[in-house]
Amino acid sequence: MEEISPLIKVLIDNKQKILDSKKYNEVEFDEFIYSLMQAENERQKVLKKIEELGSIDIQKLKDILKISEHRLIYDIEYLKELGLLEFIGEISEFYQSIEEKNEKEGLFPNVSIIRDKKICSGCGLCVSICPTNAINFLNDVLNINDDLCINCGLCYACCHRSFFPRELKDNQEKLDTDIKYLKEFNNYREIYSAQTKDNITKEIAQDWEIVTTLLKIAFKENIIDAAILIGTTEKPNEPLPFLIQNEEDLFKKARIVYNNANLLKILQNSKRFKKVAVVGTPCIMEALKKISIYPLNKPFYDNIALKIGSFCMNHSLFGCFFCDDLTAELSDISIGSIGSERGWSTVIARTSRGANLFQQALDLKLIEKKIIEEDSKNFNTLSKIAKSKLKMYKEIPRQKMIEQDPKVRRNNFLEVPKGYTLEMVKLETQRCLQCGIPLCIEGCPVNVDIPKFIRLLRQEKFSEAINNVKTYNLLPAICGRVCPQEIQCEQACLLGSVSNPIAIGNLERFIADWDRKSQVKACPDCQAPKNIKVAIIGAGPAGLTCAGELLMRGYDVTIFEAFHTGGGVLVYGIPEFRLPKEIVREEIETLKMMGSKIEYNKIIGKIMTIEDLKSMGFKAFFIGVGAGLPTFIKVSGLSLNGVLTANEFLTRANLMKAYKFPEYDTPIKIGKIVTVLGGGNVAMDSARVALRLGAERVIVVYRRSEKEMPARRAEYHHAIEEGIEFQFLTNPVSFIGDENENVKQMEVIKMRLGELDDSGRRRPIPIEGSEYKIDTDTIIIAIGTKANPILTNSIPELKLNKWGYIETDEHGKTSLEDIYAGGDIVTGSATVISAMGAGKRAAIEIDYYLTKKKD
Ligand code: FAD
């Protein structure tokens, strides 16, 4: 080998650290390095030949290099992963899809996927391969100790999520007449429900009883002389591998919790055996194969005598959805729990090797079986799940919402996306994996049971679906439209790591709109009245949610709202084309149906105080007054005509319906060139409203780069489609007026990004001498808001933080016993759903406080 590979170098450089971890002694370490060098040598030869041929011709490469197709494919995949085949346009398939999500760093550009909770299946292979014991699982989450990590990339190399070479389908006897074929299962001979009749096995092996019985026979009949199992230990995320050497060993190891197994050593040891069984999900088998070739260079797979595949639904993250387990062509026999009654396992005999072994177990009366007929209920369950797996990321793409044409919509205030059709809902719901441990629920701040409502939608049980959603979220039509799902439930969706996540927001919107249009609107059940009065101050998402939750618990709820209408930012901030006001009004109607009273035009702190409310009999208070005070920028020319805050601009446009002037009597002056300062949702909304009000050019000026913009990506793209211009890394220096004090220009300076600041984003730094001027006749300042002190000033004992926001614990409890708070007035400007989550948590705490007080 002319050049030492980066992996070998990093291992040699960190030899002492590796020896300190005690996974290897010095001799083993040297052997390992030697084996790696051989593997590297082989790959260099493959690379050289590909360079000479100018393409990947498997047949030619096999003939010239005299290596098996398996090895060749893995070598090629490995070269692709390192980007060494880019010169012929070959890039790892998995890489491309994951590329955007990960920083390119380290030896293996995407080694950071190992840290991605969403991608991790919890198989534990990386824990066992890590040469320095830097990886562990804590509370079911994989952690990497950066002090121990030597960035060798071995964890990445063994991760079965790092690539999926689907072309390796080799062990089928396709010409055999016994073979059946169904698209969802691939090739198989027979499908059974099976149960062991061997009591000792049953007791010791528990869930693994069929596997253990088959292995026992395989040892007895000399079919195998060793087995590698990736079994589950007591902790779901530590299913580390182990090597079994004989029948006695099989029973001995059946219940041991394996920690700190050394995968490489296990694979190296397995080389001593001639006939090895491998047991695990097919993706794990693939991972073992990959490791055995890279980095071990041990043709481990050449001595495999039996492959027992497992398809389980237990931990959901473990293999089930990403490899073709149920649909495998890789196993001789597949075993799992789906499709059989409790206490029985489903067995799919695929090859003659697998079928013969199963027959031997039957002949020896160690197993009893029932055939699962093709028209039976069990068969249907199996095929349904197998089908949905195939569909989820192979056949059905994420359904794209139909939208108004940008050229048309830039001139109107009608909603931009038009919603899903029933047909789209049918397709989209089929993509849902119905995970056993649904991460999407965790990702939702109000914990909507997302898989359940999607399941109900899939079954077209619309009224049950909306009832289910409304138990958790009383504002689904709003959340379906404006929630940043991409950083919440959809970001957590497991499907997102191999394909596009389920369009949860779009489905929520569909079911909420169906409810709005239906005759009988869903209204959650409320407990019997408790006759205890609770006051909610502010009818934004936080207040409305808190009110709903308290109504369900039987409280007598009154909402006090400063404006003449409810909804908070939902009506005066977010424009009609993103969230029609009618929808907000209708969702507030549900609260009224549940018994809520709403008092409009009541500014608490001015017209009335909390003390007044106490004297009216209110026993607890929730403050959800938002953070509506505009923030100004320190530049000269702020008082020029044509300089507005986004609050003023959007409130006039939205709440006072200035866009319908003269039908409504609030005029709004908009110039020809409008400049908007900021990069958040408020800036996007202001820019798009300005365009619709007749501006000829709208320019958004943002001091950081596109990457740091906090606006929802979808809204940013909508803005671009509509023709909004963006000037990134640009900051205002002064506003320049004409002789009549009307703004005519904005002087700006170019910025560069420096070190990270407190917000975790890179700090913008002015570039001296880069000033220039932008012609403009309207400037809208959309750089954030802060707490409005009207209410808080009237409660001097209430503890605030240094910015004037109310201090609470995680349940929304303030420094005063009967006062709770949530939403933007606690967190500063955030999101609709986070405000709703806070309202919900506070309601639960208020209920606890009032019940406790009563007791
Ligand atoms: P608010 O919505 O501000 O409601 C507070 C309510 O309290 C108001 O109705 C107000 O009139 C009332 N009030 C205030 N003081 C008093 C008083 N003294 N007495 C009585 N009533 C009072 N979030 C998203 O998730 N997605 C988006 O796309 C999005 N876009 C946005 C666009 C704009 C233009 C803006 C401004 C915000 C956007 N947000 C978005 C943020 C989101 O709207 C807020 O985080 C959320 O509305 C906060 O809810 P809240 O209930 O805490 O406060």
Side-chain angles (χ1 to χ4, degrees):
M1 196 178 62
E2 291 134 30
E3 226 181 87
I4 190 162
S5 88
L7 170 64
I8 299 170
K9 183 171 179 328
V10 88
L11 291 172
I12 292 175
D13 287 352
N14 288 283
K15 180 173 176 178
Q16 199 47 51
K17 224 174 177 178
I18 294 169
L19 295 182
D20 289 347
S21 78
K22 305 229 176 324
K23 267 193 170 172
Y24 295 89
N25 61 32
E26 194 141 10
V27 175
E28 286 166 342
F29 178 82
D30 290 343
E31 271 176 16
F32 176 40
I33 296 293
Y34 177 70
S35 127
L36 276 174
M37 285 185 165
Q38 280 185 313
E40 198 51 46
N41 253 333
E42 179 178 293
R43 274 187 294 272
Q44 292 299 327
K45 282 187 199 151
V46 173
L47 179 60
K48 216 160 156 237
K49 272 290 156 242
I50 294 175
E51 277 169 0
E52 278 170 28
L53 294 173
S55 67
I56 299 174
D57 184 330
I58 298 281
Q59 199 50 49
K60 263 196 196 150
L61 288 167
K62 249 169 64 178
D63 293 347
I64 302 168
L65 296 165
K66 308 262 175 288
I67 48 177
S68 74
E69 191 164 325
H70 274 158
R71 296 185 64 121
L72 197 54
I73 288 173
Y74 277 98
D75 283 343
I76 291 168
E77 282 301 326
Y78 166 78
L79 293 169
K80 272 193 209 170
E81 285 175 19
L82 286 185
L84 297 175
L85 296 182
E86 265 185 65
F87 72 98
I88 48 164
E90 289 285 347
I91 307 164
S92 167
E93 179 196 322
F94 183 66
Y95 252 44
Q96 278 182 318
S97 60
I98 207 88
E99 199 168 47
E100 287 159 22
K101 296 183 194 159
N102 291 289
E103 300 278 339
K104 290 214 163 205
E105 57 184 26
L107 281 182
F108 295 86
N110 283 326
V111 76
S112 52
I113 68 154
I114 302 294
R115 294 172 192 253
D116 192 332
K117 186 180 164 198
K118 190 155 64 88
I119 292 175
C120 172
S121 76
C123 75
L125 289 180
C126 55
V127 177
S128 68
I129 205 169
C130 175
T132 57
N133 287 330
I135 309 179
N136 61 46
F137 281 106
L138 254 183
N139 304 327
D140 288 356
V141 178
L142 193 142
N143 298 292
I144 301 180
N145 179 334
D146 286 324
D147 293 337
L148 291 178
C149 175
I150 56 170
N151 195 21
C152 64
L154 280 171
C155 52
Y156 174 75
C158 79
C159 178
H160 61 91
R161 293 284 162 82
S162 66
F163 84 110
F164 303 85
R166 292 185 181 279
E167 61 268 57
L168 291 181
K169 292 175 179 166
D170 64 332
N171 68 0
Q172 292 309 311
E173 305 138 36
K174 293 212 165 72
L175 300 173
D176 200 321
T177 47
D178 283 2
I179 301 269
K180 301 179 187 177
Y181 175 79
L182 266 185
K183 195 174 172 202
E184 53 265 46
F185 296 137
N186 270 307
N187 296 319
Y188 70 100
R189 284 156 189 273
E190 213 58 81
I191 301 184
Y192 309 100
S193 261
Q195 203 179 33
T196 186
K197 290 174 83 180
D198 179 1
N199 284 337
I200 308 170
T201 313
K202 201 169 199 158
E203 202 198 308
I204 294 179
Q206 294 169 353
D207 291 347
W208 285 72
E209 57 187 50
I210 301 291
V211 173
T212 310
T213 309
L214 293 179
L215 286 177
K216 181 176 157 176
I217 297 164
F219 273 121
K220 227 187 218 17
E221 300 295 319
N222 211 13
I223 296 168
I224 57 170
D225 51 16
I228 293 180
L229 259 80
I230 312 288
T232 41
T233 64
E234 280 167 13
K235 289 186 193 160
N237 277 332
E238 284 186 8
L240 300 173
F242 47 100
L243 180 69
I244 290 168
Q245 307 196 18
N246 50 47
E247 197 186 328
E248 196 190 335
D249 205 19
L250 175 69
F251 283 93
K252 221 165 56 195
K253 288 186 175 159
R255 270 185 162 178
I256 298 174
V257 174
Y258 295 88
N259 282 313
N260 209 10
N262 186 336
L263 178 60
L264 292 173
K265 262 195 211 170
I266 289 171
L267 291 179
Q268 251 161 338
N269 283 343
S270 76
K271 183 68 175 39
R272 288 189 285 124
F273 300 94
K274 288 202 172 63
K275 295 174 287 184
V276 178
V278 54
V279 184
T281 54
C283 59
I284 297 288
M285 292 188 202
E286 289 286 278
L288 293 185
K289 199 189 294 183
K290 183 179 170 193
I291 304 159
S292 71
I293 297 174
Y294 163 78
L296 265 185
N297 198 32
K298 300 278 174 198
F300 151 76
Y301 243 69
D302 295 350
N303 57 357
I304 294 301
L306 180 68
K307 291 177 206 160
I308 303 185
S310 54
F311 56 94
C312 65
M313 297 290 275
N314 290 351
H315 308 306
S316 118
L317 281 180
F318 188 30
C320 298
F321 293 114
F322 291 91
C323 63
D324 298 330
D325 44 13
L326 191 53
T327 64
E329 287 187 52
L330 283 163
S331 315
D332 292 305
I333 188 161
S334 303
I335 297 166
S337 54
I338 315 160
S340 284
E341 295 89 55
R342 231 184 138 68
W344 291 75
S345 300
T346 300
V347 174
I348 307 178
R350 296 188 184 276
T351 64
S352 55
R353 205 152 65 170
N356 291 343
L357 183 65
F358 188 68
Q359 190 55 47
Q360 274 171 299
L362 292 172
D363 294 345
L364 288 166
K365 302 213 176 339
L366 290 175
I367 282 178
E368 63 178 312
K369 67 155 200 214
K370 297 188 273 191
I371 287 193
I372 298 182
E373 303 289 352
E374 289 196 13
D375 53 358
S376 67
K377 194 172 153 224
N378 285 348
F379 191 90
N380 281 340
T381 311
L382 268 171
S383 84
K384 240 202 247 153
I385 290 182
K387 250 190 223 155
S388 75
K389 283 183 177 201
L390 285 177
K391 277 194 180 129
M392 73 179 189
Y393 62 92
K394 289 180 184 162
E395 290 179 2
I396 309 176
R398 178 175 158 123
Q399 299 301 294
K400 211 171 169 307
M401 193 102 85
I402 302 162
E403 292 174 348
Q404 255 201 87
D405 184 334
K407 285 193 210 88
V408 177
R409 70 180 192 234
R410 52 178 284 160
N411 298 312
N412 70 46
F413 274 81
L414 300 177
E415 228 188 326
V416 172
K418 296 188 174 171
Y420 270 175
T421 61
L422 182 59
E423 210 40 53
M424 288 165 151
V425 170
K426 281 187 188 162
L427 290 169
E428 191 60 29
T429 52
Q430 280 183 52
R431 298 177 67 236
C432 176
L433 305 176
Q434 294 290 312
C435 303
I437 304 171
L439 300 178
C440 53
I441 300 184
E442 253 177 67
C444 168
V446 292
N447 302 122
V448 171
D449 189 344
I450 295 163
K452 186 162 180 191
F453 102 74
I454 293 183
R455 193 164 60 243
L456 291 165
L457 265 181
R458 189 190 284 177
Q459 295 162 352
E460 297 190 34
K461 294 182 179 166
F462 296 147
S463 132
E464 287 170 47
I466 186 65
N467 275 323
N468 181 270
V469 172
K470 283 200 175 171
T471 326
Y472 304 91
N473 178 357
L474 276 173
L475 312 175
I478 295 170
C479 290
R481 286 169 166 83
V482 300
C483 257
Q485 293 97 10
E486 65 280 7
I487 54 163
Q488 293 173 333
C489 53
E490 291 183 15
Q491 190 180 54
C493 172
L494 207 52
L495 199 51
S497 50
V498 284
S499 171
N500 288 314
I502 294 286
I504 300 168
N506 295 351
L507 292 173
E508 186 182 30
R509 172 188 161 137
F510 171 85
I511 192 59
D513 287 353
W514 176 88
D515 182 47
R516 288 174 41 236
K517 285 174 208 147
S518 76
Q519 297 295 323
V520 192
K521 277 192 33 183
C523 178
D525 294 335
C526 296
Q527 289 174 17
K530 288 190 167 71
N531 296 321
I532 304 176
K533 287 171 77 172
V534 182
I536 307 286
I537 303 155
L544 295 174
T545 307
C546 185
E549 197 67 35
L550 287 168
L551 288 163
M552 282 193 256
R553 288 161 194 261
Y555 289 93
D556 180 354
V557 175
T558 308
I559 305 172
F560 295 90
E561 165 57 45
F563 275 125
H564 62 276
T565 182
V569 169
L570 304 177
V571 288
Y572 65 75
I574 303 180
E576 181 77 13
F577 54 84
R578 277 218 291 138
L579 179 62
K581 310 288 161 256
E582 183 56 17
I583 287 174
V584 183
R585 197 191 60 74
E586 285 180 26
E587 304 231 276
I588 293 175
E589 277 307 303
T590 310
L591 281 181
K592 288 196 190 154
M593 275 161 59
M594 291 165 73
S596 180
K597 285 160 255 172
I598 307 191
E599 300 251 357
Y600 291 117
N601 304 310
K602 295 278 181 333
I603 306 179
I604 307 300
K606 230 178 192 166
I607 296 177
M608 297 163 105
T609 62
I610 293 269
E611 287 308 314
D612 295 333
L613 296 178
K614 278 188 187 168
S615 64
M616 288 161 69
F618 289 97
K619 299 290 180 224
F621 306 86
F622 174 79
I623 304 178
V625 292
L629 208 65
T631 306
F632 286 94
I633 190 166
K634 286 190 189 124
V635 294
S636 58
L638 266 182
S639 57
L640 291 169
N641 297 324
V643 178
L644 302 162
T645 64
N647 290 47
E648 183 188 347
F649 175 69
L650 289 173
T651 307
R652 273 172 173 267
N654 293 326
L655 194 67
M656 319 301 280
K657 296 202 168 45
Y659 66 92
K660 288 192 174 167
F661 181 80
E663 192 187 325
Y664 283 77
D665 59 5
T666 302
I668 196 162
K669 183 175 169 285
I670 201 83
K672 283 188 178 157
I673 308 175
V674 176
T675 319
V676 179
L677 299 180
N681 285 325
V682 186
M684 294 310 110
D685 285 344
S686 303
R688 296 171 71 199
V689 168
L691 192 75
R692 283 159 173 79
L693 286 173
E696 285 170 17
R697 262 183 90 190
V698 181
I699 308 160
V700 173
V701 170
Y702 180 52
R703 62 192 183 135
R704 291 186 158 101
S705 74
E706 181 192 6
K707 202 173 145 209
E708 282 85 23
M709 270 176 74
R712 288 189 69 189
R713 286 287 107 174
E715 301 312 334
Y716 167 54
H717 287 299
H718 280 152
I720 290 191
E721 281 173 356
E722 288 164 13
I724 308 279
E725 298 167 41
F726 285 82
Q727 294 203 7
F728 293 111
L729 290 166
T730 308
N731 211 25
V733 177
S734 65
F735 301 158
I736 303 161
D738 63 13
E739 58 288 2
N740 297 320
E741 294 288 290
N742 292 323
V743 67
K744 64 167 191 180
Q745 277 180 323
M746 176 161 62
E747 185 178 12
V748 294
I749 186 163
K750 289 307 284 178
M751 312 291 273
R752 65 178 173 82
L753 293 178
E755 296 298 307
L756 296 186
D757 65 12
D758 295 345
S759 71
R761 292 174 299 174
R762 290 175 63 193
R763 190 186 302 280
I765 302 166
I767 303 172
E768 261 181 59
S770 65
E771 292 86 349
Y772 65 102
K773 294 189 180 93
I774 302 174
D775 290 336
T776 182
D777 40 22
T778 306
I779 295 175
I780 302 172
I781 305 168
I783 57 162
T785 51
K786 51 191 181 191
N788 185 328
I790 293 180
L791 175 63
T792 48
N793 278 351
S794 74
I795 325 169
E797 326 74 82
L798 189 66
K799 208 164 164 201
L800 308 179
N801 67 15
K802 62 177 175 182
W803 298 282
Y805 295 112
I806 301 175
E807 279 194 3
T808 69
D809 67 8
E810 72 267 32
H811 307 292
K813 193 164 169 22
T814 68
S815 55
L816 300 178
E817 204 197 4
D818 47 2
I819 301 186
Y820 296 77
D824 285 4
I825 188 58
V826 172
T827 54
S829 196
T831 60
V832 172
I833 194 76
S834 58
M836 290 174 64
K840 189 170 181 164
R841 285 191 299 278
I844 295 168
E845 198 61 14
I846 291 173
D847 181 26
Y848 177 69
Y849 161 68
L850 292 173
T851 324
K852 197 178 67 184
K853 210 171 152 193
K854 218 170 127 202
D855 295 344

